[in-house]
Amino acid sequence: MSVFHNVVVVGGGGAGLRAAIAIAEANPRLTVAIVSKVYPMRSHTVSAEGGAAGVAGADDSLEEHLYDTISGGDWLVDQDAAEAFVREAPSELLRLEHWGCPWSRQPDGRIAVRAFGGMKKKRTWFAADKTGFHMLHTLFQTTLSHPDVVRYDEWFVTSLLVDDGQVYGVVAIELATGRVETIIANAVIVCTGGCGRVFPFTTNANIKTGDGMALAYRAGAPLKDMEFVQYHPTGLPFTGILITEAARAEGGWLLNKDGYRYLQDYDLGTPTPHPAMRSMELGPRDRLSQAFVHEHDKGRTIDTPYGPIVHLDLRHLGAEVIDAKLPFVRELCSKYEHIDPVKELIPVRPVVHYMMGGIHTDIHGATPLTGLYAAGEVACVSINGANRLGSNSLPECLVFGARAGQAAAEFVGSTRSAPGAAVYAQARDAQRLLEREFTRHTEGHERIADIRTEMQTVMENGAGIYRDGESLATAADRLRELRERFDHATVDDRSRTFNTEVIALLELSFMLDVAQSIVACALHRGESRGAHQRTDFPARDDLRFLEHSLVHRTPDGGGRVGYLPVKITQWPPGERVYGR
Amino acid sequence: MADTITLQVARYRPGQEPEPVFQSYDVPLRKEWAVLDGLNHVKDHVDGTLSYRWSCRMGICGSCGMTVNGSPVLSCATFLTDYAPGPVRVEPLRNFPVVRDLVVDITDFMAKLPSVKPWLIRDDEPEPEGEYLQTPGELDDYKKFSMCINCMLCYSACPVYALDPAFLGPAAIALAQRYNLDSRDEGAEDRRDVLSSAEGVWACTFVGECSTACPKGVDPAGAIQRYKLTAATHAVKDFLLPRGAR
């Protein structure tokens, strides 16, 4: 049995919803389905706090946003993509305003913008410190005004259907019933977000298991720049809950155990009482997280049961500013740390936050597979290069979600090819394999959670903020072992009804693929650039590595790594300068 | 403080099992652990069949609403130590059909959402080049009602919804008001029939449990009361004034 839609969008977060609206607007006769393992308003876009960058002020220019993005990404950014991005970000943010997003305002009623890390000008639009939440709900509610956009809420996509390099749909499980369905489509847009859960300590929600990356990877599409994993410098210990960069943009300080603003020791500028752009606490995330490791090595962090920490000091901002600009920070600190940032220091440590890499796409969101598109964190266009700047990811979801939607709509309007017998045979095979997972019986008794926890430890130890050839080779070996152990993982739950254990099993298998691709890319890149720091190759090497990593999956789950030149249009590689 | 605490968790598969039963699990009692951490401990290490929803574990995605010791709460934002020495009774949200264990069926709410037209309605075509101006004061008029995370705690707490599932309910009405009170919106008239119907605001008997249960300070009860006043004013105008003067 199968159903048909012109376009299937996998994932209902910022990028997926934006893509669906773009298709509905481009061609109202097309049927669009959003297939997501959670209700759209549960998507992880909801957790984004600080804001969304788009040039807004008279003192700012697209050129400056472009330069900040390229230098922030340590010149691994495709400059044509970044040009399109900075050009279209303001109009996308404005469209969201027209759809009702409650952006914070200036006294005269115009949009307000705030400072952000690595940005030379104030250009970050914000809705207090719940920007992602408001953007997501605005987009979701706007899709409700398009009755032609249908949803498969709580459906988990398990594979893409591919024949001769073209994608024809997906196979998915309905969680509530365990029913497996084939959804045929002329085009598929993958918008499933990141994969932070392959690491033990992450800001990412439980659902961020790299599903879309693995789906595309298994279907034959290459992943790009997977070695670039962003650690955000300020996560709460134990939970990993994000304390937004906006806290520093509003004037917060990072202090070591001696109460010293240690960033001044790491070529990030000199302390000033008020925040200075592209300086100190407003430096880029990769550099700030690396500085933390050095402080730890010098014995200047504070040990806690949940790892070493430093302090984020907001006390000098006062209750009024904190309540107006950072209310969620105060709420989260109170709830999860039992402290009040108006009077107390916030304990923080670096935490895995964002994946610069992802499914290789062009600037229209198209992957090398015909009919397959990707947008948002799951994709790598690349506008983020080796390190994403804070507040560039939300507008990326909008700009490239819209572009992918428009490109898919155009493709669907022009394509005549229909799925052949091979596609239906593939769908039947996929269904049979899935049926087996529900009755999975293994000799061993490996628990899913044990394998998952070990994978996360392997990733942190082998591919953390600093890596080297040895740590990565060890990680690669351990991941291969874990893949063998995965075959012996047991499932307690034999029910078809809302079986979250089978879903966890499938997610773990996706995560193992993603983890292996990260390690493979990191092993091959013998240089240090942005978020990829190799202690055995401490310098950037533009002669050898001004290139994107491109990894194809091999049948054993490993990756074959190749390279693709970075597109440089106007800014040749230069030094990254912050604070001077 | 004891090392462990007992969770008594409701287990149920309607249609396959005759009635819910409570299963007890001892989980570590740690200062930082939310009720959700206890459930995850069970799922990961003790019993993989336990079913519940969760995602962000920071109180913003709205997935993990449950009834804990009789009250509707977000299990990621409610802590085990608050219930020490226990036991902690964990049940699905009330007033919804149970899908399985702690997972409830919210399709009724999802179907009602579009009926209140929760999107910005404007007559102007095409869109203006710049933003619609909105002062911080105008933003404050509806801001509170825009904070709803659709966690369903208010429906679980609402005695009216318990008796009459056709009631539009607190979150949907608050969301309608979020747009009605937005200075950029011109759709109040389009939402009027649904809100003013017998299953709209007038079904509410103003018990106020919804606002007590809300983890985000949305105050749906306030939204409903405010709309009753609007609707009553309209009704009086409709009665007294000729059509053109309303």
Side-chain angles (χ1 to χ4, degrees), chain B residues 109-159:
Chain B
F109 170 75
M110 295 303 287
K112 281 170 179 162
L113 258 190
S115 75
V116 300
K117 296 187 168 63
W119 52 84
L120 201 77
I121 298 174
R122 296 277 299 197
D123 293 331
D124 52 7
E125 288 268 353
E127 287 177 27
E129 275 190 20
E131 69 266 58
Y132 301 124
L133 295 181
Q134 181 166 69
T135 65
E138 287 168 331
L139 177 61
D140 280 343
D141 285 342
Y142 71 92
K143 182 90 193 186
K144 183 166 69 175
F145 301 134
S146 75
M147 303 304 252
C148 172
I149 61 173
N150 300 169
C151 66
M152 302 290 102
L153 301 193
C154 57
Y155 284 74
S156 186
C158 175

Side-chain angles (χ1 to χ4, degrees), chain A residues 236-239 241 243 306 329-347, chain B residues 1 30-34 37 76-82:
Chain A
L236 294 180
F238 177 61
T239 59
I241 289 171
I243 297 301
Y306 300 105
V329 167
R330 195 171 184 186
E331 182 186 328
L332 291 169
C333 286
S334 154
K335 191 124 245 172
Y336 294 96
E337 293 290 333
H338 311 290
I339 57 165
D340 182 358
V342 171
K343 290 178 244 151
E344 292 159 285
L345 298 168
I346 308 172
Chain B
M1 194 162 77
R30 300 197 182 132
K31 182 166 73 89
E32 297 83 0
W33 276 30
D37 293 306
C76 77
T78 304
F79 294 85
L80 289 173
T81 47
D82 294 340

Side-chain angles (χ1 to χ4, degrees), chain A residues 100 141 154 202 331 497, chain B residues 53 57 100 178-179 216:
Chain A
Q141 289 155 13
E154 300 194 320
T202 177
E331 182 186 328
T497 309
Chain B
R53 294 186 180 106
R57 56 82 179 85
R100 177 177 179 183
R178 171 253 174 276
Y179 283 97
K216 294 287 143 184

Side-chain angles (χ1 to χ4, degrees), chain A residues 391-455:
Chain A
S391 77
N392 265 355
S393 66
L394 288 172
E396 179 182 4
C397 287
L398 300 175
V399 168
F400 291 98
R403 280 177 160 252
Q406 285 150 6
E410 205 169 303
F411 169 74
V412 168
S414 67
T415 185
R416 297 247 181 287
S417 59
V423 169
Y424 290 100
Q426 208 177 103
R428 279 192 301 275
D429 280 350
Q431 295 213 2
R432 229 182 349 257
L433 282 172
L434 279 171
E435 302 292 344
R436 213 183 291 165
E437 297 296 11
F438 280 100
T439 52
R440 188 181 245 253
H441 185 77
T442 56
E443 295 302 315
H445 27 72
E446 290 273 9
R447 288 200 74 81
I448 293 169
D450 292 339
I451 299 175
R452 188 173 58 213
T453 303
E454 280 194 47
M455 170 196 67

Side-chain angles (χ1 to χ4, degrees), chain B:
Chain B
M1 194 162 77
D3 302 351
T4 62
I5 190 164
T6 303
L7 300 182
Q8 296 175 341
V9 185
R11 307 296 310 271
Y12 186 35
R13 278 183 294 167
Q16 299 167 60
E17 291 157 355
E19 59 186 9
V21 293
F22 283 92
Q23 201 161 338
S24 290
Y25 304 99
D26 289 338
V27 301
L29 177 60
R30 300 197 182 132
K31 182 166 73 89
E32 297 83 0
W33 276 30
V35 173
L36 176 64
D37 293 306
L39 294 173
N40 283 341
H41 176 84
V42 173
K43 177 92 182 167
D44 287 351
H45 304 294
V46 184
D47 182 351
T49 68
L50 180 62
S51 294
Y52 51 97
R53 294 186 180 106
W54 71 286
S55 184
C56 76
R57 56 82 179 85
M58 57 190 280
I60 191 77
C61 79
S63 303
C64 70
M66 298 170 194
T67 305
V68 177
N69 280 9
S71 299
V73 296
L74 296 178
S75 59
C76 77
T78 304
F79 294 85
L80 289 173
T81 47
D82 294 340
Y83 300 100
V88 188
R89 190 162 266 241
V90 187
E91 300 165 85
L93 285 179
R94 291 177 183 157
N95 301 341
F96 294 95
V98 172
V99 177
R100 177 177 179 183
D101 297 345
L102 303 171
V103 178
V104 296
D105 182 352
I106 64 165
T107 44
D108 174 61
F109 170 75
M110 295 303 287
K112 281 170 179 162
L113 258 190
S115 75
V116 300
K117 296 187 168 63
W119 52 84
L120 201 77
I121 298 174
R122 296 277 299 197
D123 293 331
D124 52 7
E125 288 268 353
E127 287 177 27
E129 275 190 20
E131 69 266 58
Y132 301 124
L133 295 181
Q134 181 166 69
T135 65
E138 287 168 331
L139 177 61
D140 280 343
D141 285 342
Y142 71 92
K143 182 90 193 186
K144 183 166 69 175
F145 301 134
S146 75
M147 303 304 252
C148 172
I149 61 173
N150 300 169
C151 66
M152 302 290 102
L153 301 193
C154 57
Y155 284 74
S156 186
C158 175
V160 177
Y161 188 63
L163 296 172
D164 177 11
F167 175 41
L168 201 48
I173 296 174
L175 187 60
Q177 279 290 66
R178 171 253 174 276
Y179 283 97
N180 280 345
L181 298 170
D182 187 326
S183 58
R184 299 168 293 180
D185 182 83
E186 296 168 349
E189 201 59 36
D190 297 329
R191 300 184 190 97
R192 193 173 148 195
D193 285 349
V194 173
L195 291 177
S196 305
S197 71
E199 309 299 352
V201 291
W202 300 112
C204 168
T205 53
F206 198 50
V207 187
E209 292 292 336
C210 52
S211 292
T212 309
C214 179
K216 294 287 143 184
V218 174
D219 188 20
I224 293 171
Q225 286 316 104
R226 189 158 165 185
Y227 195 80
K228 280 181 180 172
L229 197 64
T230 308
T233 314
H234 267 290
V236 172
K237 277 189 189 160
D238 283 356
F239 183 69
L240 293 176
L241 298 176
R243 182 160 285 276
R246 283 172 200 169

Side-chain angles (χ1 to χ4, degrees), chain A residues 483-499:
Chain A
R483 183 171 287 283
E484 282 168 24
R485 284 174 54 191
F486 174 83
D487 292 336
H488 304 286
T490 51
V491 174
D492 299 339
D493 195 345
R494 299 299 163 94
S495 170
R496 309 287 299 205
T497 309
F498 221 94
N499 188 327

